[in-house]
């Protein structure tokens, strides 16, 4: 899954999702794959949760990165296989999480949302999605880097792309 997104600084205050694929059971998102780029804990996150209809966030496998709410264009990619979920921001791998006993074939195809999450209390994500792509197969890092360069004009470091400092 690949998206080119922009979120204005301070526009998103609650929990939200830039993309959500799954289903809802008793007001809870289940059997889902989601990406949020601006969470109240000042992070972005991509995650998958399967087989838990009571508290799916407690069996969620995912990766958190920097909050992307700076008014700039960002390239966000989530690669999901039966073995792992990997998160990329602006051409840089943020991290990967193994998926033990989880198969992507178990993801629900009941709901497919952009700018909306799967929990009843989730806020609508406020921002723009310039482009959203779903690919069959694994998007290799060379392709991710090439798309970043061609769309946003270079591969910034994650720190510089979100206004953080450090080495």
């Amino acid at each position: 899954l690949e998206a080119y997104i922009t979120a204005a600084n301070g526009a998103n205050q609650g929990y939200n999702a830039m993309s959500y694929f799954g289903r809802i059971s008793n007001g809870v998102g289940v059997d889902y794959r989601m990406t949020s780029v601006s969470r109240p804990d000042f992070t972005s996150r991509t995650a998958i949760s399967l087989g838990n209809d009571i508290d799916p966030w407690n069996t969620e496998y995912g990766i958190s990165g920097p909050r992307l709410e700076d008014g700039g264009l960002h390239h966000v990619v989530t690669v999901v296989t039966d073995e792992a979920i990997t998160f990329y921001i602006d051409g840089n791998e943020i991290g990967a999480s193994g998926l033990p006993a989880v198969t992507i074939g178990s993801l629900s195809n009941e709901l497919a949302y952009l700018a909306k999450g799967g929990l009843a209390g989730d806020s609508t994500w406020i921002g723009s999605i310039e482009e959203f792509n779903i690919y069959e197969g694994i998007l290799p890092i060379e392709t991710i880097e090439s798309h970043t360069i061609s769309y946003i004009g270079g591969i910034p470091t994650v720190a510089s792309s979100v206004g953080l400092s450090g080495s």
Side-chain angles (χ1 to χ4, degrees):
L1 300 148
E2 172 186 58
Y4 301 91
I5 60 96
T6 303
N9 194 9
N12 294 286
Q13 299 301 313
Y15 285 97
N16 59 72
M18 182 270 303
S19 66
Y20 174 89
F21 299 89
R23 64 184 178 90
I24 297 174
S25 175
N26 298 316
V28 176
V30 296
D31 297 334
Y32 63 81
R33 202 273 341 136
M34 62 72 91
T35 299
S36 176
V37 296
S38 51
R39 296 164 48 99
D41 60 358
F42 299 100
T43 65
S44 57
R45 184 160 177 80
T46 194
I48 188 170
S49 181
L50 299 167
N52 184 339
D53 285 12
I54 306 301
D55 55 358
W57 47 89
N58 286 326
T59 55
E60 188 176 87
Y61 296 93
I63 301 96
S64 294
R67 185 174 182 160
L68 303 178
E69 196 170 83
D70 59 1
L73 179 64
H74 294 282
H75 182 215
V76 179
V77 176
T78 299
V79 175
V80 180
T81 67
D82 279 336
E83 293 81 32
I85 181 170
T86 308
F87 192 27
Y88 299 87
I89 297 174
D90 297 334
N92 298 290
E93 182 178 325
I94 301 304
S97 178
L99 299 175
V102 174
T103 63
I104 59 175
S106 299
L107 283 169
S108 173
N109 63 2
E110 185 175 315
L111 301 172
Y113 293 146
L114 294 179
K116 179 175 173 38
L119 287 172
D122 281 353
S123 302
T124 298
W125 180 72
I126 299 169
S128 65
I129 300 172
E130 306 298 328
E131 186 174 325
F132 190 88
N133 301 303
I134 300 172
Y135 296 97
E136 182 177 348
I138 298 169
L139 199 59
I141 185 62
E142 297 81 15
T143 302
I144 294 168
E145 290 172 348
S146 171
H147 288 189
T148 300
I149 291 168
S150 65
Y151 205 90
I152 65 174
I155 301 178
T157 65
V158 173
S160 67
S161 71
V162 296
L164 301 175
S165 61
S167 56

